[in-house]
């Protein structure tokens, strides 16, 4: 009796006191500070069409994929309301009936036993976590009123469904639907929706993958409430209850892995990355690279990378960092597209484009592809052969080294390196002297990503733009580096109709898009490159091994070219690709086929050439004068040597002979070309690897192996050139330089 009376006093006291306090504090309570705009702890990376590339759980590893309410499933909202808060549409955030019942129970038991939580207060709890006590409940109720005043009922449901816990690190209906049923929430069946909305009450205890029986019992409770509330028919109830639990776990998207890693590093802290990547082009690139590596793996090539850029906007469309991200033995997680590697010959087009803008050459301009010494070193062509007089067009198409070096010497090494930096090749960050003229044949290092974007400048009529990775971000301010005229002429050289066939290989039926392309091979066969472009896309391909090991298969044209070609074929399956319009500033003219200059009266062979009026050279051909041919000294010497036959054909005899220069030969020294030493090659009949000693005017010039090329810079006057081998054999010739 006593106990019952005491309880009754409690109740009476509480009935008077508590409401008075509540009323007083209601108006001084802090306002709601939860964040309803941001979903916690997941970074989503999407491609340009919205396809998810990766979800990145962060912090406490929450996985959440917010969706609008109308994407949460036909039955989800009604199941939720029936189960959690059946008066949801009638109350203003606080379910007074439930609160009174709860308060009474709390007082009777002297502790908190019952929730009386509405969906609105659940949203408050999810966004402003607090402990459990009476005061907390009051604050939550207060904040629920605020939310009700600011959001519609549907918005509140959407907030709850996207934030509720569904077991493990799964938050939100969409993540739960994908995790347990491998489908988007909008396709959930009645039974599946009912199962999911029952979980948040006790997500750990009810996890359907661990405790399927409990989860099913909870599902049936939800279904019963729906039936009781008239939301489903008896037939629907029974059909849904008969549904077995069929869990299908879906793994999280993990596409374009190197690109996503690259973006996370580049944009730390960004929750939503709507990127410029195009998943279709990415897959096309991955497949093309994967196939080629499959063919080359047996020859020791396991690494490679592809970059595709949309020319007009500068947007990155594909980035493949390795053939297989998960291949640990091939360092698959290393992103080859951003690694600095020797670019081989791929920078040559920039030298010729600059030279054309400086008015120094046109596609037909003659260059000397002969042995020549540059600032202390004697470069060789990749083929180890020399062509003599060649046009710029031939020099670029055949990727000859000597003319490219001479071209850079002509435009100035400092200016060329500066141009490369303005093209975004920021890894070339040392002084020009560090690289030397050899920068044009790969003495520096560049990344495929930067290189491809440098080519985008050629494809964009000479305007460079920074790469764009995030959709919707404004395009970066561009700057002009080359003229539209010079880039057109270089594209014309690199994109001759037949060259497309060479890039992709001959296929009778294939319709080939017209592309400009250049390949590169680094010294020692460590890197093979191909960059192809048209007015819309740049496709850059690098093949090599992450550890830098060499392979004789690493030759740009044959190894990397087909990958670029295949991607371009995939970009234009009908072959209907665009090509560059000739700018008004590019004209055509007839030139001497030898010099590439406007013909003199005695020039015999002519050809058509492109040129830029008021920029390109206009002086007449100087080779054909007075009925004679006047070649530059180094070409003259080369042609005379070649006329004698190839020294390597001479078999080893008992006597030592000097094969080049010929005894009694006369050379013509050209009026000086700045920085270029005109020289002749010294060659003997020796074929052994024994040491040879070369003398000029009885002074030792060089000790060299018999097969090693030796050059002597021409000096005016009469000279004696001699050589001796270690066996004591000697040979001697006399020449005159005029
Ligand atoms: Zn001529």
């Amino acid at each position: 009796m006593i106990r019952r009376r005491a309880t009754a006093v409690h109740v009476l006291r509480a009935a008077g006191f508590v409401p008075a306090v509540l009323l007083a504090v209601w108006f001084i309570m802090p306002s709601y500070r939860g964040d309803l705009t941001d979903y916690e702890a997941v970074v989503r990376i999407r491609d340009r069409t919205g396809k998810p590339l990766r979800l990145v759980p962060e912090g406490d590893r929450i996985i959440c994929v917010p969706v609008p309410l109308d994407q949460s499933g036909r039955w989800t909202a009604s199941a939720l309301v029936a189960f959690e808060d059946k008066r949801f549409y009638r109350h203003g955030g606080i379910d007074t009936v439930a609160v009174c019942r709860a308060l009474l129970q709390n007082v009777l038991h002297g502790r908190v036993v019952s929730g009386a939580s509405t969906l609105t207060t659940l949203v408050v709890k999810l966004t402003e976590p607090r402990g459990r006590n009476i005061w907390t409940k009051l604050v939550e109720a207060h904040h629920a009123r605020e939310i009700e005043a600011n959001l519609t009922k549907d918005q509140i449901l959407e907030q709850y469904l996207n934030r509720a816990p569904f077991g493990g690190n799964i938050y939100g209906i969409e993540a739960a639907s994908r995790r347990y049923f491998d489908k988007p929430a909008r396709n959930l069946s009645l039974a599946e929706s009912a199962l999911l909305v029952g979980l948040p009450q006790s997500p750990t205890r009810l996890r359907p993958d661990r405790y399927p029986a409990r989860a099913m019992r909870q599902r049936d409770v939800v279904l019963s409430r729906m039936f009781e509330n008239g939301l489903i028919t008896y037939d629907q109830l029974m059909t849904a209850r008969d549904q077995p639990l069929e869990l299908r776990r879906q793994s999280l998207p993990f596409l374009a892995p190197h690109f996503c890693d690259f973006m996370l590093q580049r944009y730390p802290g960004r929750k939503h990355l709507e990127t410029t990547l195009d998943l279709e082009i990415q897959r096309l690139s991955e497949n093309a690279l994967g196939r080629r590596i499959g063919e080359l793996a047996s020859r020791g090539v396991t690494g490679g990378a592809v970059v595709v850029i949309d020319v007009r906007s500068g947007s990155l469309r594909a980035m493949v960092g390795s053939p297989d991200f998960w291949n640990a033995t091939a360092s698959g997680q290393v992103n080859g597209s951003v690694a600095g590697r020797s670019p081989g010959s791929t920078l040559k087009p920039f030298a010729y484009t600059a030279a054309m803008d400086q008015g120094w050459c046109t596609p037909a301009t003659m260059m000397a592809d002969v042995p020549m010494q540059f600032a202390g070193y004697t470069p060789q062509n990749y083929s180890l052969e020399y062509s003599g007089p060649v046009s710029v067009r031939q020099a670029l198409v055949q990727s000859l080294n000597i003319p490219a070096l001479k071209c850079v010497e002509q435009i100035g090494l400092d200016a060329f390196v500066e141009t490369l930096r303005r093209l975004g090749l920021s890894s070339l960050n040392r002084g020009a002297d560090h690289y030397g003229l050899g920068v044009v044949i790969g003495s520096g290092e560049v990344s495929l990503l930067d290189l491809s974007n440098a080519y985008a400048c050629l494809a964009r009529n000479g305007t460079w733009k920074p790469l764009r990775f995030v959709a919707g971000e404004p395009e970066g301010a561009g700057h002009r580096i080359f003229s539209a005229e010079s880039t057109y002429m270089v594209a014309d050289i690199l994109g001759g109709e037949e060259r497309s066939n060479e890039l992709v290989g001959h296929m009778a039926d294939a319709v080939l898009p017209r592309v400009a392309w250049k390949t590169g091979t680094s010294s020692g066969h460590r890197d093979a490159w191909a960059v192809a472009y048209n007015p819309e896309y740049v496709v850059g391909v690098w093949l090599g091994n992450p550890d830098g090991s060499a392979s004789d298969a690493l030759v740009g044209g044959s190894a990397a070219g087909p990958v670029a070609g295949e991607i371009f074929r995939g970009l234009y399956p009908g072959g209907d690709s665009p090509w560059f319009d000739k700018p008004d500033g590019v004209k055509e003219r007839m030139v001497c086929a030898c010099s590439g200059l406007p013909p003199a009266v005695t020039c015999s062979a002519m050809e058509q050439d492109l040129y830029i009026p008021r920029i390109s050279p206009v002086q007449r051909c100087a080779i054909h004068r007075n009925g004679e041919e006047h070649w530059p000294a180094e070409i003259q010497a080369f042609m005379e040597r070649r006329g004698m036959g190839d020294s390597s054909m001479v078999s080893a005899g008992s006597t030592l002979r000097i094969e080049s220069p010929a005894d009694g030969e006369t050379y013509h020294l050209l009026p000086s070309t700045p920085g270029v030493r005109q020289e002749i090659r010294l060659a003997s009949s020796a074929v052994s690897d024994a040491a040879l000693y070369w003398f000029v005017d009885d002074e030792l010039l060089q000790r060299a192996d018999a097969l090693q090329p030796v050059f002597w810079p021409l000096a005016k006057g009469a000279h004696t050139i001699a050589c001796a081998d270690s066996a004591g054999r000697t040979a001697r010739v006399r020449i005159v330089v005029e």
Side-chain angles (χ1 to χ4, degrees):
M1 273 313 273
I2 292 171
R3 186 174 161 68
R4 184 173 293 169
R5 196 161 60 232
T7 307
V9 171
H10 255 329
V11 171
L12 286 174
R13 257 195 218 145
F17 178 70
V18 172
V21 173
L22 291 187
L23 201 64
V25 298
W26 188 258
F27 295 99
I28 58 164
M29 240 182 256
S31 44
Y32 174 71
R33 288 185 200 285
D35 185 355
L36 294 173
T37 58
D38 193 21
Y39 292 92
E40 210 183 342
V42 64
V43 178
R44 284 166 304 140
I45 307 177
R46 297 178 188 274
D47 90 335
R48 63 194 289 244
T49 63
K51 295 188 193 90
L53 301 175
R54 191 187 295 184
L55 300 176
V56 188
E58 276 188 335
D60 46 359
R61 301 187 63 76
I62 286 174
I63 294 169
C64 174
V65 191
V67 288
L69 185 66
D70 61 12
Q71 299 286 303
S72 66
R74 182 185 162 198
W75 299 102
T76 306
S78 55
L80 175 67
V81 171
F83 180 61
E84 291 279 6
D85 186 2
K86 64 184 175 191
R87 284 181 288 273
F88 175 68
Y89 290 105
R90 279 169 274 153
H91 65 64
I94 303 167
D95 185 351
T96 331
V97 179
V99 167
C100 290
R101 196 177 59 224
L103 269 178
L104 193 65
Q105 284 174 348
N106 290 341
V107 171
L108 286 173
H109 292 87
R111 59 189 170 90
V112 180
V113 292
S114 171
S117 289
T118 63
L119 285 168
T120 323
T121 50
L122 289 173
V123 170
V124 174
K125 282 181 213 247
L126 290 168
T127 52
E128 278 188 331
R130 286 190 174 75
R132 276 165 59 112
N133 57 48
I134 291 268
W135 169 248
T136 296
K137 295 216 159 289
L138 211 55
V139 175
E140 281 168 1
H142 188 259
H143 290 177
R145 299 284 298 188
E146 277 184 61
I147 287 179
E148 290 274 348
N150 289 305
L151 299 187
T152 65
K153 289 286 184 186
D154 279 355
Q155 286 171 325
I156 294 168
L157 285 179
E158 185 178 302
Q159 287 287 334
Y160 174 82
L161 283 170
N162 283 325
R163 294 178 187 284
F166 287 87
N169 56 357
I170 306 296
Y171 284 72
I173 188 77
E174 179 73 14
S177 174
R178 289 177 182 274
R179 169 67 178 74
Y180 296 123
F181 297 117
D182 189 19
K183 58 165 82 166
R186 65 174 182 274
N187 295 341
L188 286 171
S189 70
L190 170 59
E192 289 162 345
S193 278
L195 183 121
L196 291 183
V197 303
L199 299 183
Q201 273 197 354
S202 188
T204 306
R205 207 178 57 83
L206 295 172
R207 268 187 76 148
D209 49 351
R210 299 212 179 129
Y211 311 106
R214 289 181 194 163
M216 292 290 271
R217 277 199 297 278
Q218 182 83 335
R219 176 195 77 175
D220 292 347
V221 172
V222 175
L223 287 169
S224 302
R225 299 255 178 98
M226 292 180 81
F227 174 66
E228 287 161 18
N229 285 279
L231 296 168
I232 54 174
T233 64
Y234 183 74
D235 281 352
Q236 286 172 318
L237 170 68
M238 297 319 284
T239 311
R241 290 181 96 157
D242 287 344
Q243 300 272 311
L245 181 63
E246 282 175 11
L247 297 179
R248 261 198 312 278
R249 178 168 188 160
Q250 186 215 36
S251 53
L252 293 170
F254 198 85
L255 302 169
H258 292 101
F259 172 73
C260 289
D261 284 353
F262 173 84
M263 293 299 281
L264 290 171
Q265 208 168 19
R266 191 179 174 94
Y267 299 93
R270 284 274 277 271
K271 289 281 173 66
H272 312 286
L273 282 164
E274 314 290 330
T275 72
T276 60
L277 194 101
D278 186 305
L279 195 52
E280 275 185 42
I281 299 177
Q282 173 76 14
R283 291 210 164 109
L284 172 68
S285 307
E286 287 171 358
N287 292 341
L289 178 66
R291 257 196 296 283
R292 193 75 188 111
I293 294 297
E295 291 158 3
L296 295 175
S298 63
R299 297 177 65 189
V301 183
T302 58
V306 175
V307 162
V308 180
I309 296 168
D310 176 81
V311 168
R312 291 193 186 102
S313 64
S315 301
L316 186 74
R317 291 291 186 241
M319 173 191 274
V320 187
S322 77
D324 181 1
F325 188 81
W326 299 113
N327 185 342
T329 51
S331 303
Q333 301 197 12
V334 174
N335 187 346
S337 75
V338 295
R341 308 286 303 213
S342 163
S345 296
T346 54
L347 303 181
K348 285 176 182 169
F350 304 115
Y352 289 105
T353 312
M356 286 177 185
D357 272 336
Q358 288 190 7
W360 178 70
C361 67
T362 67
T365 299
M366 184 190 72
M367 304 198 72
D369 182 39
V370 298
M372 206 177 287
Q373 199 167 355
F374 291 91
Y377 86 112
T378 309
Q380 290 177 321
N381 280 326
Y382 180 73
S383 63
L384 302 178
E385 287 167 4
Y386 301 90
S387 306
V390 293
S391 67
V392 162
R393 185 181 291 273
Q394 289 169 311
L396 192 46
V397 165
Q398 295 169 26
S399 203
L400 303 174
N401 284 345
I402 308 295
L405 291 158
K406 210 166 172 185
C407 178
V408 173
E409 199 169 57
Q410 192 69 34
I411 60 180
L413 175 60
D414 289 330
F416 182 57
V417 171
E418 181 54 30
T419 299
L420 294 178
R421 288 198 195 107
R422 291 183 70 216
L423 283 162
L425 302 174
S426 53
S427 53
L428 298 174
N429 53 10
R430 304 179 72 164
D433 290 343
H434 172 78
Y435 306 107
L437 293 175
V439 71
V440 76
I441 56 174
S443 69
E445 288 191 340
V446 304
S447 73
L448 177 66
L449 188 66
D450 289 346
L451 180 68
S452 303
N453 197 40
Y455 270 80
C457 172
L458 294 180
R460 206 182 287 120
N461 308 319
T463 301
W464 184 88
K465 278 183 185 176
L467 269 173
R468 198 162 153 270
F469 304 101
V470 176
E473 253 183 18
E475 290 172 26
H479 53 257
R480 180 163 289 285
I481 295 180
F482 304 118
S483 72
E485 287 77 20
S486 62
T487 51
Y488 175 80
M489 293 198 291
V490 167
D492 187 68
I493 293 173
L494 295 177
E497 296 277 8
E498 319 75 40
R499 270 174 65 80
S500 305
N501 298 324
E502 286 174 43
L503 182 64
V504 296
H506 289 273
M507 277 164 295
D509 302 339
V511 191
L512 302 170
R514 185 176 179 187
V515 295
W517 57 273
K518 182 77 192 78
T519 58
T521 307
S522 69
S523 71
H525 292 214
R526 291 185 167 81
D527 308 88
W529 305 79
V531 188
Y533 66 93
N534 74 359
E536 292 183 338
Y537 291 106
V538 175
V539 174
V541 178
W542 165 80
L543 299 184
N545 291 314
D547 64 2
S549 58
S551 161
D552 62 3
L554 284 171
V555 176
S558 57
V563 181
E566 188 179 336
I567 293 168
F568 253 105
R569 274 217 322 281
L571 289 169
Y572 300 98
D576 50 346
S577 61
W579 189 244
F580 300 95
D581 295 325
K582 191 168 80 166
D584 293 339
V586 173
K587 304 291 184 201
E588 289 175 11
R589 67 180 178 187
M590 296 305 290
V591 294
C592 167
C594 290
S595 62
L597 288 167
V601 270
T602 48
C603 294
S604 48
M606 311 283 177
E607 65 177 29
Q608 197 163 46
D609 189 23
L610 300 172
Y611 79 113
I612 314 172
R614 291 184 301 281
I615 302 279
S616 300
V618 290
Q619 67 269 31
R620 301 218 161 261
C621 171
I623 292 175
H624 301 103
R625 277 180 286 137
N626 311 324
E628 289 181 315
E629 292 189 352
H630 299 264
W631 295 93
E634 71 271 20
I635 293 179
Q636 172 106 29
F638 174 82
M639 295 198 300
E640 286 171 10
R641 267 203 312 280
R642 199 164 58 171
M644 288 169 42
D646 188 346
S647 64
S648 66
M649 301 287 284
V650 178
S651 60
S654 56
T655 59
L656 182 66
R657 282 196 324 276
I658 292 177
E659 302 286 357
S660 171
D663 195 16
E665 208 166 327
T666 301
Y667 291 91
H668 301 278
L669 196 58
L670 266 197
S672 74
T673 316
V676 178
R677 297 163 71 180
Q678 300 170 37
E679 28 185 17
I680 54 171
R681 178 181 166 128
L682 310 182
S684 79
S685 59
V687 291
S688 71
D689 55 5
L692 277 182
Y693 299 85
W694 286 94
F695 300 87
V696 174
D697 300 332
D698 294 328
E699 279 199 39
L700 181 64
L701 175 71
Q702 198 178 333
R703 178 189 182 279
D705 292 341
L707 300 177
Q708 179 185 342
V710 175
F711 299 90
W712 175 63
L714 293 176
K716 273 198 172 160
H719 303 282
T720 307
I721 294 172
C723 87
D725 67 10
S726 47
R729 298 180 297 177
T730 59
R732 183 177 294 262
V733 296
R734 285 172 192 81
I735 61 164
V736 175
V737 179
E738 295 179 350

